[in-house]
Amino acid sequence: MHAELYTDGIEEITVSGTIVRIDLVSLSPTERDANNAPKRVFSQRLIFSVEAFANSVDVMQKALQGLVDAGVVRRNQPAGSQNGASGVRDALAPNTRSLNVSSNFR
């Protein structure tokens, strides 16, 4: 049996020369933020060469497109549309949340 890893998300991606580091986070079972929501805490780091990272992004984009094509993930209507009130987040749209992100991507 192989070890498996679950993550609640990516906190930060840092590029340093030819190395890409991706910090994974999990929701804390004990720590809470000001809104009483579980805090995102560092769990593990993935380290890629730039080439491996680029190949991985390509694979994930194809997987995401397959989910969109299968109807598992739906795209929201453009911002001005009347039908955009479905409450489903567009997985392919830019993330508009304010995140603590690496200075490499500002």
Side-chain angles (χ1 to χ4, degrees), residues 15 23 29 57 64 81:
V15 178
D23 291 344
V57 170
L64 179 56
S81 174

Side-chain angles (χ1 to χ4, degrees), residues 35-88:
N35 296 323
N36 201 33
K39 281 188 177 182
R40 294 165 50 105
V41 295
F42 174 83
S43 60
Q44 293 203 341
R45 177 174 289 147
L46 301 174
I47 302 173
F48 293 89
S49 67
V50 171
E51 295 83 10
F53 175 74
N55 290 337
S56 298
V57 170
D58 185 51
V59 170
M60 286 188 265
Q61 286 176 334
K62 289 176 182 173
L64 179 56
Q65 188 59 52
L67 292 171
V68 170
D69 293 345
V72 176
V73 175
R74 290 183 287 166
R75 297 199 63 161
N76 284 343
Q77 298 295 323
S81 174
Q82 298 292 350
N83 298 330
S86 68
V88 177

Side-chain angles (χ1 to χ4, degrees), residues 9-10 16-17 19 27 32 37-38 51 65 68 80:
I10 294 173
S16 178
I19 301 298
L27 297 178
R32 300 286 178 167
E51 295 83 10
Q65 188 59 52
V68 170

Side-chain angles (χ1 to χ4, degrees), residues 2-9 22 24-26 43-46:
H2 293 82
E4 294 182 1
L5 175 67
Y6 175 83
T7 185
D8 288 309
I22 301 174
L24 304 177
V25 293
S26 294
S43 60
Q44 293 203 341
R45 177 174 289 147
L46 301 174

